[in-house]
Amino acid sequence: MSKENQMVDEDLYDEDGEDTQKDRYFTFRVGEEEYGIEIMHVLEVVGLQKITEVPDMPDFVKGVINLRGQVIPIMDVRTRFGMETVEYDDRTCVLVVNMMDQQIGLIVDKVSDVLDIPESQVQPPPKVSNRPGSRYISGLGKVDEEVKILLDVQKLLYEEEMAQVASAV
Amino acid sequence: MADATLLGEFVLDSLELLDDAEPKLIELQASSQVPDQVNTESINSIFRLFHSMKGSAGMLELHNITSLTHEAETLLDMFRSGKTQMTRAHMDTLFKAMDLIREILASVDANLTDKGFEDSVSGLVEELGIAISQGGGDASPAPKAKKPEPVKPPEPPPPPPEPVAKPEPEPAAAADFSFDEFEIPITQEMLDRFVTEADELLEQCEAMLLTMEDDTTGEPVHEAFRAMHSFKGNCGFMGLSDPERMSHRMENVLSGVKEGIIAPTSDNTGILLKLVDILRDAVADVSSGGKGHIDNLELYVQLLDEILPEASEPDAEPEPAAEPQAMAAGPAEPASAPGPEEESPLPSMEIKLEEEKAPEAPQDAAGPKAVPAKPKEIPATKAAPRTIVRQDIRVDLAKLDHLINLVGELVIAETMVTRNPDLVGHDFENFEKSAMHLSKIVRDLQDISLSVRMIPIAGVFRKMIRLVHDLSAKAGKKINLTLVGEDTEIDKTVAEIIADPLVHLVRNSIDHGLEPPDERKTAGKEETGEILLQAGHEGGEVWILIRDDGRGLSRENILAKAIERGLVNGDGSDLSDSDVYNMIFHPGFSTAKQVTDISGRGVGMDVVKKNIERIKGHIDVRNNPGHGCTIVLRLPLTMAIIEGLLVRVGKAKYTIPLLAVRENIQVTKEMITKTMDGQELVMVRGQLLPIYRVHELHNTRPDNYKLEEGLLVIVENRGEMACLFVDEILGDQQAVIKGLSNYIGSVRGVSGCTILGDGEVSLILDVAGLIRKAQGLEAA
């Protein structure tokens, strides 16, 4: 994990590190729904900046940006979910996640909060769904009366990615 | 027990030692074939390799390595003393031992133990033992035959700590012996290594001495003893009689402590610590060119003898024998004589007295008594504080890369500041001055940080010596390998990546290029085939040549093969030679079963090419049928920075490597021709060049669709010229190359990216890939 965690509270890293991150989710909004990903994957949130397009990429890979001298790829979560695209506005954010030593920026409509969602409050994902986004769901988390869609970052980033890249080339 | 970092260092050191020793062993064989020309330096350095490895392995309790190196050492000692002539079989056994050690080291690196190799080690130890026991006799049949009853019983696989101690008396004796036998030519390199190692050993010994008092396990004493023992061995080897004598006594004392004969009182450790300091001074003297002379040596020796009880004395050299030796070793140092006279060796000499004397002693020597003898050297070494300066440090490569990355960012940040848009239109004299100064420092910093990654290619080349040696025996061909330009520096990553391709290429030269001796004779060539490995700078690149004087490539055979595989349409007679030769790089070309029917050059050539291209290098084939073939690897000097031409296409800014750019032109309608399949061509000085539109290849929107409104950049890739259509040229700049993320993988026509002064990411165009892509698109 990077030390540059800006959105995440400092005290998260006190003493038992990993443990305090358990069941904590970083939530954000895409379209009408709130989504959450495990906080251990989130490095930081940055504002949208100029994206350099890279040819021959699947449509959800928008290109690359310069994050303090590091070039990281950017994925548009809307496109990934098969939703219609919208104009980026000043609330559009890049959520930088770390997965298997690979940093990737996710474009989301708006970042929301860091929430504790204990395992008992998480339901398994619905079995049958043909919606393109459904295969990235790891569970449904209940917070008060609201439901957060919890995402499997690994699947979000990699599922069928190879096939799509291959078909694009 | 031994911690991981120590083990890691040991593995690294040992691998280095092995790399050094292998070529020397081969040299040795060459020279031992001619009687009376035994290359003592080589033998000694290999001996030293095994000896120091044994010492370190013993310390780290790697018993398998210890027993193996011990046997190898004993065998080498026999050559050294001239008792035995080295034969091919001996060499093979030693090579086997080296290979096994490598294997064990790999396992040590991974598992932090050398357990699990007991069987193979005891087998080889047996082999070595047989070779040793046969002494002068012909050893050739022996190493192969594993006799059921070994002459020397193999040490039990996981031996208790004894083996460490057991072999020790032997090499010490050997070291003395060799010193008397012949003068060893000591190179600067050996000297440097000795100094560094000695420094480490003394430090280790000191640390152990300090913990010895409060310790009950006896471990520190062992460690101190081992360190002192290795130190003594090294001194003996280097012919430094004074430190050797003293460390020998100290070793005796330590062994006394070890056996419980001597109590580790604070008085005793105090003396030992003091003497370690004196040894350190001696080493410092050696590092500044001296002979490691110790003033008042006799006094110290006596002091130690007093600590030693009578019983443990007998194996020490008798006094009179040591005396003349010390004198003989330091003919330039009669100053050692005044020592014993000056201080009356009172038996009641106390530590307290000694403590006062010791620091003074050196100054005394520098005084009037010593001046006539050594007026030049002693003042020089005394004037400066006697410290040993290590000339290198080991740095984790990841750290280094991080540093270089940061410097790269600094370069970008510097441009951001000095060319800040806010400054436009202003004239700040002082700012300009400071900015210039900053720029200069940043450039220097960049140059230096890049040079840090550069290593001589010698390491890669030297591996080939062993390869050629092994293969020449296997293939039954006589080969003479010549290395040129070993000191050429290349990027460490480049060095790592070209190592395998070089092995392939050299192997191909031997397997397929060079003919067997009789065939060479018939062809009117020398029986011994020549292979040349040459490295050097050529323009902005490093060139590596692999040349052999074998039969060369056969155009007909390659072409026939290519036609058979459907790589060529028609009979291929229209293809140029270089096109034909380049077919050997075609994937799978080599895997065909008739590969030996072709004049060779096929095994893994596509992999070679891929590796070379991965580091933005090129590979050329120069063939002279019947007389040999040369493969030229053209590699970039550094992988970190390129000169680039910044161009704009619509909103995107691309960087084109300046090396590929020939010129830019603006065209008029008349210069353009369009073929019926849509390919646009432009006539430039009588040459028709294809035009590729970057926006089409990269699927972006340009400002201009009309060729005459934009610009054409003429690029060249391996003699093939083409034009890239862009909107605008923004200028040239130094580009710090960054990889596109692994997530994105490789993109055709893009080799990487760089960050511009304004923080934007610019893709670096890969001209070769772009051209291929364009041609692919047309075909589709």
Side-chain angles (χ1 to χ4, degrees):
Chain A
M1 281 299 261
S2 155
K3 288 161 214 141
E4 300 151 358
N5 239 305
Q6 292 168 351
M7 292 293 289
V8 183
D9 292 338
E10 288 276 309
D11 59 351
L12 267 183
Y13 290 93
D14 283 357
E15 289 124 53
D16 16 43
E18 288 283 305
D19 259 12
T20 51
Q21 295 186 14
K22 198 172 177 289
D23 295 338
R24 297 205 104 185
Y25 291 85
F26 194 101
T27 61
F28 53 90
R29 183 168 282 274
V30 178
E32 298 301 307
E33 297 297 334
E34 288 265 329
Y35 297 85
I37 56 181
E38 283 176 277
I39 200 127
M40 55 184 280
H41 297 300
V42 180
L43 292 181
E44 63 179 302
V45 177
V46 294
L48 198 61
Q49 47 184 303
K50 178 158 181 184
I51 299 174
T52 300
E53 278 182 47
V54 178
D56 301 339
M57 286 293 115
D59 57 354
F60 58 83
V61 176
K62 288 293 161 196
V64 291
I65 61 163
N66 164 24
L67 183 71
R68 290 187 305 279
Q70 234 191 329
V71 177
I72 62 167
I74 297 295
M75 170 195 288
D76 188 322
V77 178
R78 274 183 168 271
T79 324
R80 182 64 160 160
F81 288 168
M83 298 176 186
E84 80 227 59
T85 50
V86 291
E87 283 282 306
Y88 297 147
D89 59 26
D90 54 359
R91 288 210 286 192
T92 310
C93 275
V94 177
L95 191 60
V96 182
V97 297
N98 185 37
M99 190 74 214
M100 300 192 292
D101 276 336
Q102 192 64 246
Q103 291 174 20
I104 293 160
L106 304 176
I107 299 179
V108 299
D109 290 357
K110 174 177 167 289
V111 292
S112 309
D113 209 351
V114 176
L115 294 175
D116 272 311
I117 310 178
E119 241 178 280
S120 56
Q121 295 300 304
V122 178
Q123 275 186 9
K127 284 257 154 54
V128 195
S129 170
N130 290 325
R131 295 276 309 278
S134 63
R135 59 176 175 273
Y136 317 122
I137 301 177
S138 68
L140 300 171
K142 281 179 281 183
V143 180
D144 301 329
E145 291 309 299
E146 288 174 61
V147 172
K148 314 279 176 192
I149 301 169
L150 307 181
L151 297 174
D152 181 330
V153 182
Q154 161 100 34
K155 283 187 181 156
L156 179 68
L157 299 188
Y158 289 99
E159 185 106 318
E160 282 184 33
E161 186 239 345
M162 291 324 290
Q164 295 200 41
V165 173
S167 66
V169 173
Chain B
M1 245 175 293
D3 70 294
T5 43
L6 270 182
L7 283 172
E9 287 226 350
F10 167 71
V11 169
L12 279 180
D13 280 339
S14 303
L15 286 177
E16 259 170 42
L17 288 171
L18 283 173
D19 285 347
D20 280 356
E22 273 181 0
K24 285 191 182 128
L25 192 52
I26 290 159
E27 247 170 59
L28 199 61
Q29 186 199 27
S31 64
S32 69
Q33 282 160 354
V34 189
D36 303 331
Q37 257 202 353
V38 178
N39 190 334
T40 54
E41 191 191 334
S42 304
I43 280 206
N44 280 318
S45 55
I46 302 169
F47 177 82
R48 219 170 91 76
L49 150 86
F50 281 114
H51 184 62
S52 50
M53 207 191 289
K54 185 182 79 172
S56 317
M59 193 186 86
L60 294 167
E61 307 194 348
L62 301 169
H63 301 304
N64 280 328
I65 296 183
T66 315
S67 53
L68 197 55
T69 44
H70 173 62
E71 292 298 322
E73 189 187 339
T74 316
L75 181 61
L76 276 163
D77 190 42
M78 295 176 71
F79 306 138
R80 209 163 72 136
S81 55
K83 278 185 211 148
T84 310
Q85 196 70 22
M86 188 176 255
T87 65
R88 185 102 196 176
H90 288 135
M91 298 265 303
D92 287 343
T93 316
L94 285 171
F95 273 134
K96 253 194 246 168
M98 286 187 179
D99 286 342
L100 184 57
I101 292 173
R102 266 183 210 278
E103 229 175 274
I104 300 176
L105 286 174
S107 141
V108 169
D109 199 27
N111 311 323
L112 302 182
T113 170
D114 71 341
K115 298 239 159 62
F117 286 91
E118 282 76 12
D119 288 348
S120 37
V121 167
S122 66
L124 209 55
V125 163
E126 205 174 296
E127 235 176 72
L128 286 163
I130 291 164
I132 294 165
S133 69
Q134 286 186 336
D138 182 18
S140 35
K144 297 281 164 199
K146 268 195 191 167
K147 289 177 187 164
E149 204 52 55
V151 186
K152 205 164 190 173
E155 270 138 294
E162 276 104 277
V164 182
K166 197 172 64 190
E168 262 150 11
E170 246 178 282
D176 289 344
F177 179 54
S178 80
F179 173 68
D180 291 336
E181 275 293 283
F182 33 64
E183 273 295 301
I184 311 150
I186 291 170
T187 62
Q188 187 58 40
E189 197 190 337
M190 289 158 74
L191 205 67
D192 289 348
R193 194 173 274 189
F194 164 76
V195 170
T196 319
E197 207 174 304
D199 191 33
E200 279 168 9
L201 287 171
L202 289 176
E203 210 161 277
Q204 200 182 344
C205 186
E206 187 179 69
M208 288 305 134
L209 285 173
L210 288 170
T211 54
M212 195 161 88
E213 254 177 82
D214 323 318
D215 180 82
T216 49
T217 61
E219 196 48 41
V221 188
H222 278 268
E223 300 254 322
F225 174 80
R226 279 171 211 144
M228 193 45 71
H229 174 73
S230 308
F231 178 79
K232 181 190 76 176
N234 289 350
C235 288
F237 177 79
M238 299 295 289
L240 307 168
S241 57
D242 284 12
E244 189 197 354
R245 263 191 81 197
M246 193 153 102
S247 50
H248 178 66
R249 292 307 154 95
M250 292 170 72
E251 192 188 335
N252 284 348
V253 172
L254 284 168
S255 119
V257 176
K258 215 168 65 171
E259 281 149 28
I261 305 168
I262 301 167
T265 59
S266 58
D267 285 357
N268 286 343
T269 40
I271 294 178
L272 288 173
L273 283 172
K274 188 104 277 165
L275 295 184
V276 167
D277 284 345
I278 288 162
L279 285 179
R280 203 172 271 155
D281 285 350
V283 172
D285 181 41
V286 172
S287 76
S288 51
K291 261 280 179 194
H293 170 67
I294 297 173
D295 299 302
N296 307 325
L297 174 68
E298 294 308 320
L299 178 77
Y300 302 136
V301 168
Q302 201 133 10
L303 205 69
L304 287 165
D305 284 349
E306 275 157 35
I307 305 176
L308 276 175
E310 301 293 313
S312 64
E313 190 60 351
D315 60 337
E317 300 153 62
E319 228 33 39
E323 197 84 40
Q325 192 199 0
M327 296 297 281
E333 305 262 4
S336 69
E341 289 162 29
E342 185 188 48
E343 316 279 346
S344 57
L346 287 171
S348 60
M349 177 75 69
E350 279 301 334
I351 325 288
K352 278 176 209 132
L353 178 60
E354 170 54 25
E355 269 171 7
E356 280 151 28
K357 283 277 151 55
E360 271 167 38
Q363 273 124 35
D364 279 351
K369 263 174 257 162
V371 170
K374 266 267 159 190
K376 208 172 65 190
E377 212 169 301
I378 294 177
T381 49
K382 294 282 152 68
R386 289 187 154 199
T387 47
I388 298 155
V389 184
R390 284 194 67 167
Q391 295 301 321
D392 57 357
I393 51 167
R394 231 181 226 138
V395 182
D396 183 30
L397 197 60
K399 249 189 213 169
L400 201 60
D401 283 343
H402 192 57
L403 176 74
I404 291 167
N405 270 340
L406 282 176
V407 172
E409 275 173 51
L410 183 65
V411 173
I412 294 161
E414 183 256 339
T415 336
M416 281 184 192
V417 172
T418 54
R419 301 205 195 139
N420 198 297
D422 291 355
L423 298 170
V424 175
H426 296 282
D427 192 14
F428 301 128
E429 200 181 316
N430 283 324
F431 176 82
E432 290 290 320
K433 256 189 216 157
S434 314
M436 290 259 284
H437 188 56
L438 176 67
S439 302
K440 194 187 166 306
I441 293 173
V442 169
R443 299 281 164 252
D444 288 355
L445 188 62
Q446 189 179 22
D447 285 350
I448 292 202
S449 65
L450 288 178
S451 73
V452 168
R453 277 192 63 96
M454 304 294 261
I455 55 167
I457 201 166
V460 181
F461 271 15
R462 303 219 134 221
K463 290 208 172 75
M464 301 304 144
I465 301 178
R466 170 81 190 269
L467 180 77
V468 169
H469 169 263
D470 286 1
L471 285 181
S472 74
K474 221 181 266 173
K477 294 171 183 174
K478 289 184 188 163
I479 301 164
N480 183 28
L481 176 71
T482 314
L483 304 179
V484 178
E486 282 178 89
D487 51 358
T488 308
E489 292 199 324
I490 54 171
D491 191 280
K492 182 166 165 61
T493 317
V494 175
E496 275 162 12
I497 291 175
I498 61 163
D500 278 347
L502 269 185
V503 169
H504 268 299
L505 293 171
V506 170
R507 193 183 291 156
N508 275 339
S509 280
I510 295 170
D511 272 0
H512 310 298
L514 295 177
E515 314 90 329
D518 47 336
E519 198 183 320
R520 290 182 67 87
K521 246 187 196 162
T522 336
K525 296 182 192 173
E526 288 283 323
E527 255 184 64
T528 307
E530 294 286 339
I531 290 184
L532 171 77
L533 274 178
Q534 186 178 351
H537 291 281
E538 200 78 38
E541 296 176 317
V542 176
W543 286 25
I544 298 173
L545 272 64
I546 301 99
R547 171 179 300 153
D548 65 61
D549 66 343
R551 44 171 97 89
L553 299 170
S554 153
R555 182 188 159 102
E556 294 74 42
N557 290 343
I558 296 174
L559 208 51
K561 192 76 211 159
I563 292 168
E564 187 192 311
R565 286 183 55 95
L567 299 173
V568 178
N569 298 323
D571 64 354
S573 54
D574 54 330
L575 290 170
S576 71
D577 280 355
S578 79
D579 284 344
V580 173
Y581 297 142
N582 275 324
M583 283 177 189
I584 60 174
F585 298 114
H586 203 279
F589 196 83
S590 53
T591 54
K593 62 174 190 273
Q594 285 120 309
V595 76
T596 43
D597 298 339
I598 314 164
S599 62
R601 312 305 156 108
V603 184
M605 285 302 253
D606 59 320
V607 180
V608 169
K609 190 179 162 127
K610 242 180 235 155
N611 271 332
I612 299 299
E613 286 182 347
R614 214 170 90 205
I615 49 172
K616 320 264 176 294
H618 297 285
I619 183 163
D620 290 342
V621 184
R622 294 177 191 168
N623 188 39
N624 187 354
H627 296 93
C629 175
T630 305
I631 307 271
V632 184
L633 306 181
R634 290 161 49 207
L635 308 168
L637 201 52
T638 161
M639 297 176 55
I641 290 194
I642 56 159
E643 291 275 335
L645 184 73
L646 192 64
V647 300
R648 189 179 58 82
V649 179
K651 274 192 223 152
K653 291 172 187 163
Y654 296 106
T655 304
I656 307 175
L658 216 50
L659 273 175
V661 175
R662 291 292 156 266
E663 59 179 316
N664 325 309
I665 50 166
Q666 189 137 33
V667 291
T668 54
K669 252 191 176 142
E670 297 78 63
M671 295 161 77
I672 312 288
T673 318
K674 198 167 180 177
T675 62
M676 52 284 191
D677 57 359
Q679 176 62 54
E680 291 160 311
L681 298 164
V682 61
M683 179 75 88
V684 181
R685 284 191 282 281
Q687 238 186 319
L688 266 180
L689 305 176
I691 298 171
Y692 302 123
R693 291 167 178 255
V694 176
H695 65 91
E696 279 179 9
L697 296 170
H698 279 181
N699 254 326
T700 55
R701 234 172 300 139
D703 292 354
N704 308 305
Y705 286 93
K706 288 184 183 151
L707 290 174
E708 54 274 21
E709 283 167 12
L711 275 174
L712 291 182
V713 180
I714 302 181
V715 292
E716 186 188 334
N717 173 49
R718 286 208 252 150
E720 194 181 345
M721 310 267 271
C723 295
L724 299 179
F725 177 59
V726 301
D727 282 335
E728 190 188 359
I729 287 177
L730 300 171
D732 43 316
Q733 58 149 20
Q734 293 244 318
V736 180
I737 302 175
K738 305 218 168 223
L740 279 170
S741 154
N742 287 339
Y743 185 73
I744 283 180
S746 70
V747 180
R748 275 224 289 178
V750 176
S751 61
C753 60
T754 184
I755 295 170
L756 302 177
D758 59 2
E760 194 182 316
V761 180
S762 160
L763 298 182
I764 299 171
L765 296 183
D766 164 24
V767 171
L770 214 56
I771 292 176
R772 272 201 304 275
K773 186 176 177 181
Q775 289 163 348
L777 283 186
E778 276 152 34

